[in-house]
Structures are given as structure tokens and as C-alpha cells.
């Protein structure tokens, strides 16, 4: 599948274990949709690292479900891989993460911008949708954060940034 010479569009439903892909997989891919309901961010990072296409125009990472404390570092790593591999070609990016239960853990509060900072180097983005629950970005976004987004993506015609409602609430003793 990964070596199909003319494959332009691919939609995958990922599980936690993806088959081993060659380093230069999917050389002609233009659109990649990953339904990641059963896959952690680390699996997505591994898959994205193997894609060699220099013409990937659209990347949709949907329904990513992660339930561990490494989510914050995994998110930053995934964003960095997206930057390194696709900065010159990517025009549409959707990243949605759900199903986290990190309340009560020792995760340091950070603004969203701290985790997605590598994406600020994707200056050609036209459509950006980022949906991340508050368990990941524990502090509210400031006006400064939105200024950085506006400066980073001057070609954006669509911008959707969503801090979802918590998926878990602390219990009252």
C-alpha cells in the first residue's frame, strides 16, 4: 500500500499498532486523513515520519484519543514532525484530540501555543482547525497567543481553535 506510485488520497483508521512502513512511503500523497480513535499520538508520529510526499496538501488527524501523561510531549513531537516533513506543501491542517483524563496528574499548565509552536512555521496554511481539550492546554489562551497564530498563518482563510469541554471532572470527596 505504501509504495503505490500513484496514490494521491488516503484515509486510514488507525489502531495502536501500525504495520512497519518503509522510510519513504507514500511518495505522491496529496491528502491524508487519519481517523485515530484507537491510536495514541506516538503512533501518529511514527506514521507521519515515514511519509515521503513533498506534495501533501491536506492532513487531517481526527478523533485522536490519548489517556496518558505523555500526551503533552507527544503533541509537541507530532507538531514538530508535521513541520519538518510538510512545511513547504501543507495548506490544510486539522488536528483533533479527545478522550483525555489527565485531571489530577502532575502535568504543568501550559498555553496551547507551547505545544503547537512547531506549527507556527507552516506559513502557507490556509485552513487550520485545532481542537484540544483543556486537559492538554491547561491555561487559557491569551491575546498574545492569537497574535502569534495570525502572524504565523497570514494566508489563513479558515481558523478554528477549540478548547473542548473537559472529558473528566474531579470528584468531590
Amino acid at each position: 500500500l505504501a509504495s503505490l506510485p500513484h496514490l494521491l488520497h488516503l484515509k486510514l483508521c488507525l489502531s495502536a499498532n501500525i504495520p512497519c512502513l518503509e522510510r519513504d512511503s507514500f511518495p505522491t500523497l496529496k491528502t491524508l486523513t487519519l481517523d485515530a480513535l484507537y491510536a495514541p499520538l506516538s503512533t501518529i508520529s511514527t506514521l507521519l515520519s515515514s511519509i515521503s510526499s513533498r506534495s501533501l496538501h491536506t492532513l487531517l488527524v481526527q478523533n485522536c484519543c490519548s489517556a496518558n501523561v505523555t500526551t503533552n510531549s507527544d503533541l509537541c513531537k507530532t507538531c514538530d514532525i508535521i513541520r519538518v516533513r510538510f512545511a513547504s506543501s501543507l495548506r490544510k491542517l486539522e488536528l483533533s484530540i479527545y478522550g483525555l483524563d489527565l485531571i489530577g496528574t502532575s502535568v504543568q499548565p501550559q498555553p496551547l501555543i507551547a505545544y503547537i509552536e512547531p506549527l507556527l512555521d507552516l506559513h502557507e496554511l490556509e485552513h487550520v482547525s485545532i481542537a484540544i481539550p483543556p486537559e492538554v492546554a491547561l491555561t487559557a489562551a491569551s491575546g498574545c497567543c492569537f497574535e502569534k497564530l495570525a502572524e504565523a498563518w497570514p494566508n489563513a482563510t479558515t481558523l478554528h481553535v477549540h478548547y473542548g469541554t473537559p472529558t473528566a471532572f474531579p470528584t468531590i470527596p
Side-chain angles (χ1 to χ4, degrees), residues 39-52:
L41 280 165
S42 58
T43 299
I44 293 165
S45 294
T46 301
L47 176 66
L48 292 176
S49 293
S50 69
I51 296 174
S52 66

Side-chain angles (χ1 to χ4, degrees), residues 1-172:
L1 181 66
S3 62
L4 286 172
H6 303 293
L7 185 65
L8 298 176
H9 309 284
L10 178 63
K11 182 174 183 176
L12 290 175
C13 183
L14 297 176
S15 65
N17 300 315
I18 60 169
C20 186
L21 297 174
E22 297 175 16
R23 183 75 175 139
D24 293 325
S25 300
F26 305 109
T28 58
L29 210 56
K30 293 194 179 295
T31 302
L32 176 60
T33 302
L34 301 174
D35 185 343
L37 185 58
Y38 303 106
L41 280 165
S42 58
T43 299
I44 293 165
S45 294
T46 301
L47 176 66
L48 292 176
S49 293
S50 69
I51 296 174
S52 66
S53 175
R54 295 294 171 220
S55 57
L56 190 72
H57 183 274
T58 300
L59 175 60
L60 309 175
V61 179
Q62 303 168 332
N63 306 315
C64 185
C65 182
S66 193
N68 59 49
V69 190
T70 64
T71 297
N72 297 15
S73 61
D74 288 345
L75 176 57
C76 193
K77 179 181 177 184
T78 300
C79 290
D80 194 49
I81 290 168
I82 292 169
R83 178 190 61 82
V84 169
R85 305 292 289 186
F86 313 116
S88 64
S89 63
L90 205 60
R91 300 297 180 266
K92 181 176 183 177
L93 175 65
E94 177 182 306
L95 179 61
S96 62
I97 302 174
Y98 298 100
L100 303 172
D101 185 5
L102 300 175
I103 292 177
T105 63
S106 60
V107 176
Q108 287 296 104
Q110 295 287 330
L112 174 65
I113 201 86
Y115 303 112
I116 66 165
E117 190 166 13
L119 299 179
L120 300 181
D121 289 337
L122 279 71
H123 301 295
E124 300 303 319
L125 284 175
E126 297 169 3
H127 304 279
V128 183
S129 177
I130 300 173
I132 297 180
E135 294 89 8
V136 173
L138 294 170
T139 61
S142 66
C144 180
C145 288
F146 288 107
E147 284 178 24
K148 287 181 181 182
L149 297 180
E151 290 170 5
W153 304 322
N155 297 328
T157 59
T158 304
L159 178 59
H160 177 213
V161 178
H162 177 70
Y163 287 93
T165 57
T167 57
F169 296 92
T171 56
I172 299 173

